[in-house]
Amino acid sequence: MRISELSARSQVPIPTIKYYLREGLLPQGEQTSATRAVYDEDHLRRLRLIRALIEVGRLPVAAIRKVVAAVQDEDLPVHHMLGTAHYALAPDVEPDADETAWREARDRARTLTGDLGWSINPDAPALDELAQSLLTLDRLGMATDPEAVLPYARAAHALAEHELAGVPFEGPRDAAVEHLVIGTVLYGRLFDVLRRLAQESESSRLLGPSRAADGHSV
Amino acid sequence: MRISELSARSQVPIPTIKYYLREGLLPQGEQTSATRAVYDEDHLRRLRLIRALIEVGRLPVAAIRKVVAAVQDEDLPVHHMLGTAHYALAPDVEPDADETAWREARDRARTLTGDLGWSINPDAPALDELAQSLLTLDRLGMATDPEAVLPYARAAHALAEHELAGVPFEGPRDAAVEHLVIGTVLYGRLFDVLRRLAQESESSRLLGPSRAADGHSV
């Protein structure tokens, strides 16, 4: 297909496609004359991935370049390719100003995932996020003992099993990464809203109108 | 205590405390002379709540005013007080440009929570978030059938039961709202990072180094 059709089918404007070509995010088309190139389904799939990384993952171009390089490197095992996308999605974490507290929190994050039997790269940026999360909860007086944290870890693990089983590993590499990125971000948001709705429902059950009528609600 | 001690114990600067007093977020102290007032533990607790709403909930002052009004209105049942805080945390959702799709998505959100047996106020803003979430997933070709969504709903419900059981309903109203707000936001973040770590672990189990050595990983 010509660039105009690629643009129509992908809903990506032609100048944007040309920008992706210049940046090397999208492979060049097959040159059929000095001024004309043709594109195929691989280009369409790559454009879908780039849009997912920008619009859903909210990634900057530098991060997208890394993800695309991992997708293109056929020698890179799929687990590492997915890891590249995953790590790009992780927010930057500043080390805590209190060095001792920060070191302890990082140790706790590693101990926690180790005790759960999870297989995590020791350099995974999400371990720093976990450390920060535990430290913030501690400082605000919220529980972070195993009894408090394990229900979250178990629920997270059950969902992760379900989610990884749904990634289309047999198809093209772009499609697997696109699925992982969209799924990680959007099912995460879906879960977050379902949790707040479930909290409302639980609050209603524990304290709601019928209890209020009995005078138990204040 | 005097305002200087209130500031020291709450770690909130005196000018900020005076601003909260002027805005009516913090009740006036007991006036002991024309230029002097004293404050008590209730003020300290209210300051903790305001800080949680600002720093953890990221709420603007107008939203905080509503939450504080609900906390102060002792005739308002606890379920409604918690609902006020909860709804303040929900992001604004713009109706989708496609009116028909938006109406259908809203109906689906209501049907879904109804089928789950959840007791939700039909005007809960999170229902619009759920509608938006389902619509976005649909458009990106991700599954939103019951089989895809129920694992999230079940996990959300189990965690919500655990969370509501931990809210200190027997104590002061400020403390219950503070706990709910901090818990909703921070355990939500904790869950999000644990889910990404669990995904990495699952990816490693399905596709990781040992599989790679067998030549199954690409």
Side-chain angles (χ1 to χ4, degrees), chain A residues 78-79 86-87 119-121 126 129 143 152 163 183-184 187 193 195-197 199-201 203-204 217-218, chain B residues 74 78-79 86-87 119-121 126 129 143 152 163 183-184 187 193 195-197 199-201 203-204 217-218:
Chain A
V78 173
H79 174 61
H86 232 178
Y87 290 6
S119 168
I120 307 286
N121 179 338
E129 277 183 85
Y152 295 95
E163 289 168 328
T184 298
Y187 288 117
V193 61
R195 173 171 161 260
R196 280 180 282 121
L197 285 164
Q199 286 179 337
E200 173 174 334
S201 177
S203 169
S204 172
S217 69
V218 179
Chain B
E74 300 273 347
V78 173
H79 174 59
H86 231 177
Y87 290 6
S119 168
I120 307 288
N121 179 339
E129 277 183 85
Y152 294 95
E163 289 169 328
T184 297
Y187 288 117
V193 60
R195 174 170 161 261
R196 278 179 285 120
L197 285 165
Q199 286 178 336
E200 173 173 334
S201 177
S203 170
S204 172
S217 70
V218 178

Side-chain angles (χ1 to χ4, degrees), chain B residues 4-72:
Chain B
S4 52
E5 188 185 343
L6 183 64
S7 169
R9 286 184 60 192
S10 63
Q11 303 208 38
V12 177
I14 292 178
T16 308
I17 294 178
K18 288 185 172 169
Y19 169 69
Y20 296 158
L21 288 166
R22 279 198 307 279
E23 290 286 324
L25 300 181
L26 190 65
Q28 299 297 324
E30 193 190 340
Q31 211 71 28
T32 54
S33 79
T35 57
R36 215 159 144 171
V38 293
Y39 302 88
D40 60 18
E41 298 299 319
D42 290 346
H43 291 92
L44 202 53
R45 198 179 304 113
R46 175 63 53 81
L47 277 177
R48 281 179 58 103
L49 171 60
I50 295 170
R51 298 303 284 213
L53 293 170
I54 291 176
E55 289 172 15
V56 179
R58 309 250 174 235
L59 296 187
V61 168
I64 293 173
R65 194 173 287 121
K66 277 189 207 166
V67 174
V68 164
V71 169
Q72 287 186 170

